[in-house]
Amino acid sequence: MTETEKNNISYILNELGEERENYFNAISPPIIQTSNFAFNKVDDLRKAFENEASTYLYSRGINPTVDILRKKLAALDAAEDCLVFNSGAAAIFTSILANVKAGDNIVSVNKPYTWAQKMFNDILPRFNVTTTYIDGKNIENFERAILPNTSLIYLESPNSWDFALQDLQAVADLAKSENILTICDNSYCTPIYQKPIEYGIDMVLQSATKYIGGHSDVVAGVLSGSKEMIRKIFNSEYLCIGSGIQPFNAWLLLRGLRTLPIRLERITNTTKKAVSYLKQHQKVEQVIFPFDESFPQYELAKQQMTGACGLLSFIIKATDIHQIEKFCEDLQHILIAVSWGGHESLIIPKCSSIKHEEFDAGNSDHCMLRLYVGLEEPEYIIKDLEQAFDKMI
Ligand SMILES: *Cc1c(COP(=O)(O)O)cnc(C)c1O
C-alpha cells in the first residue's frame, strides 16, 4: 500500500488498526473490557514495567480496543501518535501540564474553552505559571506578547462562540522561530475540516464528545502530536492523572468514526440552509458563521479550513432577557442544552450565563444565541425556528 492510500479517509475509518484475524474475523472490534493483563514469566512482567507504552499491562496505560482508536485518530490528525482521554478537558489539562514549569508564561488566545481558562486563571498561578491573553486574529499580537519565559502558545481556531480564527501557519512559523511549543484546540472543525499539524502546529486536541462520538452518549478527548511528545506524556502525566478513555467508550468512538464524514456532510449542508434562513429574518441582527461571506475572517477560514459544520451564532433583536428566554423555550424540537456535535439540534443563549439584573439589551454579546444544527431534516429545524420567531412580540 502506498503512503497516499494509507492517508485515505476510507482506509483510516474502515481498516487502519483493525487486526480481525486476532478476534475471530469479527467486523466490529471487541471491547477488551479488562483492567489488567497476565504474564507467564516474571521477566516478561519486568520488561512490561520498563516499557508500559507498548506492553499490555494495565488499562490505565494501553488497552487493545483503545489502541485501534488511537491509530485512526492519529492518522486523521496527520499526527504520528495520539492519546485518548476521558474528556476533552483532560486532554487540555494534560497537554498544558506536560509543557510548562514554574516561572513559565503561556500566550493564549482570548476566551479559550471555559476549562482551559480555569486552568490558566486559577490553577497554574499556584505554580507560578502566568498566562497572557491576546486577540489571536492578528499575528502582531502574538509577536508583542511573547516574553523570554514564554514556553507555550495556546490556540483555539475557530473559537466555539464567536469563531475567531488564528492564522495557523503564521503562528506556527513564529513559534518555531522562538522555540515555543504550540497547542491548538480543533474541536470545532474536527480533523475532517482542518489539520493544524499540517501547518506546523505541534499538538492538536479536540473534544471527541462532539463530532467523533456524534451521538451524545460519550465524553472523551484526543491529543495528537509527535511520537516523542506522546511517549513523554504517556510515561508521566497520562499515567499519573489516569484519565484515559475506558474500553467501552473507545468502542463507541470507533462506531462514531465510521459515519463521521457523512454526518459532517449532512450537517454542513443543513447548516448552510439554516444560515440563509437566519440571515434573512427580520428579528435577526447578525449571523456569525466562519463560512459566511460576511464573516470578517472569511478569507482565512477558506484558506485553512476545508469546511465548517453545525455550530453558528446569531444575535437576536430583543429588548429584554425574557424575550430571549421565551424564544428558546418556545422551540419545540431544538433542545436547550450545552455541548454539540450529536444527532440533535441544540440552542444555548449567552444570557444563560448572565444574571437578569446584569442583562443589557444594547450589548449584542448578551443577545447572542448559539445554534447547533444536528441531523434532522433541514425543514424540520427551520420550521421550529420559524414558529418560535412568530411567537416573539
Ligand atoms: C466541549 C469542548 C471542550 C471540552 O471537551 P469535553 O469533552 O467536554 O471535556 C474543549 N474545547 C472545546 C472547543 C469544546 O467545545
Side-chain angles (χ1 to χ4, degrees):
M1 189 176 290
T2 67
E3 281 308 308
T4 323
E5 281 166 335
K6 281 187 193 153
N7 294 331
N8 185 287
I9 182 86
S10 298
Y11 170 75
I12 294 170
L13 299 186
N14 292 289
E15 292 160 73
L16 179 63
E18 307 197 35
E19 295 167 22
R20 300 200 174 96
E21 62 280 12
N22 293 342
Y23 39 83
F24 315 105
N25 288 318
I27 301 290
S28 170
I31 305 165
I32 309 289
Q33 190 74 24
T34 186
S35 55
N36 46 0
F37 299 82
F39 295 84
N40 291 326
K41 301 275 183 202
V42 173
D43 199 45
D44 291 341
L45 179 62
R46 185 174 293 117
K47 283 184 189 128
F49 285 142
E50 283 163 9
N51 188 10
E52 196 171 344
S54 44
T55 320
Y56 295 126
L57 167 72
Y58 189 55
S59 284
R60 173 153 42 77
I62 61 169
N63 171 283
T65 309
V66 178
D67 273 357
I68 300 172
L69 179 65
R70 280 176 64 189
K71 288 190 179 115
K72 291 183 192 293
L73 289 171
L76 285 180
D77 272 329
E80 288 174 0
D81 202 355
C82 77
L83 291 169
V84 193
F85 293 83
N86 209 16
S87 70
I92 294 172
F93 193 89
T94 308
S95 67
I96 297 167
L97 188 68
N99 287 294
V100 290
K101 61 180 189 314
D104 280 356
N105 168 261
I106 297 168
V107 171
S108 166
V109 290
N110 280 334
K111 296 184 191 161
Y113 182 69
T114 319
W115 298 99
Q117 280 185 58
K118 198 85 175 165
M119 182 177 192
F120 295 144
N121 297 347
D122 299 349
I123 300 176
L124 290 179
R126 302 204 315 251
F127 305 96
N128 195 24
V129 174
T130 56
T131 302
T132 313
Y133 290 106
I134 57 154
D135 177 348
K137 293 197 282 291
N138 208 327
I139 188 72
E140 287 82 42
N141 293 341
F142 287 97
E143 288 163 2
R144 272 196 289 270
I146 291 171
L147 300 170
N149 61 335
T150 301
S151 60
L152 180 70
I153 293 180
Y154 188 83
L155 310 173
E156 183 180 323
S157 187
N159 173 281
S160 67
W161 268 93
D162 63 12
F163 314 114
L165 309 180
Q166 301 96 55
D167 184 329
L168 297 178
Q169 184 75 56
V171 178
D173 290 349
L174 172 66
K176 280 201 165 65
S177 74
E178 301 275 345
N179 227 351
I180 297 170
L181 188 101
T182 44
I183 300 176
C184 180
D185 184 333
N186 195 36
S187 300
Y188 181 88
C189 281
T190 83
I192 303 290
Y193 286 157
Q194 180 171 272
K195 296 187 199 297
I197 284 179
E198 289 185 343
Y199 295 101
I201 298 296
D202 295 305
M203 305 206 81
V204 60
L205 61 90
Q206 62 175 319
S207 166
T209 312
K210 313 291 163 53
Y211 291 113
I212 306 290
H215 296 76
S216 302
D217 51 13
V218 55
V219 175
V222 193
L223 173 67
S224 294
S226 70
K227 244 192 182 70
E228 191 189 345
M229 176 61 80
I230 293 295
R231 176 66 74 112
K232 174 178 105 75
I233 294 176
F234 176 88
N235 283 320
S236 52
E237 290 80 8
Y238 184 81
L239 283 171
C240 262
I241 297 172
S243 189
I245 193 168
Q246 294 297 302
F248 177 63
N249 283 351
W251 185 86
L252 285 174
L253 293 190
L254 283 168
R255 192 165 72 152
L257 276 178
R258 310 286 192 203
T259 56
L260 177 66
I262 192 146
R263 283 186 285 110
L264 290 192
E265 192 182 318
R266 159 83 172 193
I267 290 167
T268 299
N269 288 334
T270 310
T271 304
K272 273 187 207 138
K273 294 181 186 170
V275 168
S276 306
Y277 167 75
L278 288 168
K279 278 182 78 170
Q280 57 77 46
H281 204 284
Q282 52 165 12
K283 296 213 169 76
V284 175
E285 181 81 45
Q286 192 193 344
V287 177
I288 306 157
F289 182 64
F291 263 39
D292 186 73
E293 281 114 357
S294 69
F295 186 70
Q297 293 178 290
Y298 177 63
E299 287 308 318
L300 179 60
K302 284 272 184 188
Q303 187 185 309
Q304 64 189 20
M305 295 158 55
T306 54
C309 14
L311 210 56
L312 63 107
S313 292
F314 62 96
I315 295 162
I316 200 162
K317 287 182 188 161
T319 47
D320 65 62
I321 195 166
H322 300 287
Q323 263 183 316
I324 302 178
E325 292 180 359
K326 186 172 176 302
F327 173 81
C328 295
E329 290 161 13
D330 279 339
L331 292 164
Q332 301 291 304
H333 305 296
I334 300 168
L335 305 169
I336 302 171
V338 296
S339 197
W340 43 276
H343 53 285
E344 77 293 6
S345 291
L346 301 169
I347 198 145
I348 182 164
K350 205 64 179 276
C351 69
S352 59
S353 50
I354 297 168
K355 289 196 178 73
H356 272 204
E357 56 275 20
E358 285 165 8
F359 180 82
D360 171 12
N363 183 339
S364 60
D365 206 44
H366 290 193
C367 299
M368 192 188 274
L369 293 100
R370 192 179 75 179
L371 175 69
Y372 166 67
V373 175
L375 290 168
E376 302 91 338
E377 293 293 324
E379 299 72 31
Y380 193 70
I381 297 166
I382 290 168
K383 266 199 185 136
D384 198 19
L385 292 167
E386 180 81 0
Q387 61 82 30
F389 277 126
D390 286 350
K391 287 181 189 154
M392 271 181 89
I393 31 146

